[in-house]
Amino acid sequence: MKGAVLCVGIVVVDIVTEVDTFPREDIKTRCGDIYEVIGGNAANNCRVLSLLGETSSFMGCAGTSGHHLRLVEDFFIRYQVDMNPMVKCDGHAMPLTVCILNKGAGTRTCLHYRGSLPELTYDMFAAANISLSTYKWIHFEGRYSSEDTLAQIEHVHNQRSSEGHTYNISVELEKASKPLDFAKVMGYADMTSAAEGLSAMAREGVVVICPWGDLGVAAKATNIQVVTSAAYPPEDTVNTLAAGDTFIAACIKALKDCNDLQKSLTYACKVAGAKCGLRDLDKLKDMSFNV
């Protein structure tokens, strides 16, 4: 596992419904397809890292009630993701997300049900006694329980400083606030001003990366000017579900491999754009992307 990526966050069961047009309220209509897949930001990060040739571990809470835990375990086995850090919570079911894919508009609408499953607490994280030195990168999915996420980040940051570890630390802030568009909630209207403004609030040496959908991405560190990349949309948008998770995983892989911000942003945009043109995310494995 030396050099692997640890992804800390959630795993859920997505119930995906494909429709040609978004249904109107209070009607009965047919769908083109309906199926269950494993999702959740951190779990998707692990899947994409695997498809891009990286080794990863997942840490987060999983419910043991019902048949869904078996689906989760099979998922991680299929993508060769280490699930030893995963915390199994007896008496709780897996979270569910109903995802409506509108093929006509190329959009997805997600309705999430967390249920009684607890969020990963700092105590759970610390009690796992993970060997942090085995990782090259530790990535956190910012959760609504932001105090616990912050405590976990501080823990691995302090361990890195005190024990001389060399892993990088990153955090996604999409869900650090109830609305999804974190940068817009913070008052920024475009990716460049968001990168500049958030970078000014960050610690020395931190890189702030602000993806902005089909407009591309901007990034800023304390010692460099804003770096940007255009988006690379597919000819036909088929499925945008997990596009953001794909971008993050691809960006981590690229920064881990080449440590060049400009090249990494471009690589991540190309991978995420290609994903939007695929119905099956696994087909990324058959595509070629150069960092």
Side-chain angles (χ1 to χ4, degrees):
M1 292 299 294
K2 190 71 174 178
V5 179
L6 173 63
C7 297
V8 184
I10 68 168
V11 57
V12 307
V13 178
D14 287 343
I15 303 171
V16 181
T17 303
E18 295 185 357
V19 295
D20 292 326
T21 58
F22 196 84
R24 291 183 292 106
E25 187 176 355
D26 200 27
I27 66 168
K28 182 183 292 185
T29 186
R30 291 180 180 270
C31 62
D33 200 358
I34 186 168
Y35 48 90
E36 288 184 336
V37 295
I38 300 305
N41 296 31
N44 284 334
N45 295 152
C46 289
R47 179 184 181 184
V48 175
L49 284 165
S50 173
L51 295 172
L52 296 176
E54 295 293 325
T55 304
S56 65
S57 299
F58 171 82
M59 186 175 191
C61 292
T64 60
S65 298
H67 70 285
H68 285 139
L69 177 61
R70 183 70 254 174
L71 293 179
V72 170
E73 292 174 335
D74 288 346
F75 169 87
F76 286 133
I77 291 170
R78 176 181 179 182
Y79 295 103
Q80 299 180 310
V81 176
D82 170 35
M83 55 181 158
N84 287 320
M86 187 168 69
V87 179
K88 297 180 181 179
C89 301
D90 293 335
H92 301 277
M94 288 296 303
L96 301 174
T97 301
V98 176
C99 305
I100 303 173
L101 297 187
N102 181 349
K103 295 193 294 182
T107 61
R108 91 286 187 269
T109 302
C110 300
L111 307 172
H112 180 65
Y113 176 67
R114 178 75 185 174
S116 64
L117 185 70
E119 296 278 358
L120 183 73
T121 66
Y122 170 75
D123 289 339
M124 292 176 182
F125 183 87
N129 290 321
I130 301 172
S131 178
L132 298 177
S133 63
T134 62
Y135 296 107
K136 178 70 173 178
W137 200 292
I138 300 176
H139 175 70
F140 293 87
E141 174 190 348
R143 300 295 302 155
Y144 297 139
S145 55
S146 55
E147 295 83 2
D148 281 301
T149 302
L150 179 59
Q152 294 161 21
I153 294 171
E154 291 290 356
H155 175 78
V156 298
H157 181 270
N158 293 337
Q159 288 285 99
R160 183 176 66 179
S161 299
S162 63
E163 300 186 16
H165 299 319
T166 58
Y167 51 75
N168 289 302
I169 304 168
S170 59
V171 59
E172 175 193 14
L173 295 181
E174 178 193 36
K175 291 186 178 69
S177 179
K178 291 286 183 182
L180 290 180
D181 294 323
F182 176 80
K184 291 180 181 178
V185 171
M186 295 294 289
Y188 300 107
D190 61 83
M191 62 186 185
T192 300
S193 62
E196 291 175 333
L198 294 171
S199 177
M201 292 185 264
R203 289 176 175 173
E204 182 78 20
V206 168
V207 179
V208 174
I209 299 174
C210 296
W212 217 263
D214 59 3
L215 295 180
V217 60
K220 176 78 170 70
T222 51
N223 57 340
I224 63 170
Q225 297 299 311
V226 173
V227 178
T228 64
S229 171
Y232 291 83
E235 185 173 337
D236 295 308
T237 299
V238 176
N239 181 0
T240 59
L241 190 64
D245 303 332
T246 300
F247 174 89
I248 288 173
C251 200
I252 288 173
K253 175 197 167 45
L255 288 169
K256 177 174 172 287
D257 287 351
C258 77
N259 199 33
D260 184 298
L261 185 56
Q262 180 66 75
K263 291 181 179 179
S264 297
L265 296 180
T266 300
Y267 174 85
C269 284
K270 288 181 177 180
V271 175
K275 178 263 167 290
C276 292
L278 301 174
R279 185 173 187 269
D280 181 5
L281 180 59
D282 285 359
K283 292 189 180 299
L284 276 180
K285 191 173 184 178
D286 302 325
M287 304 176 76
S288 177
F289 305 95
N290 296 319
V291 178

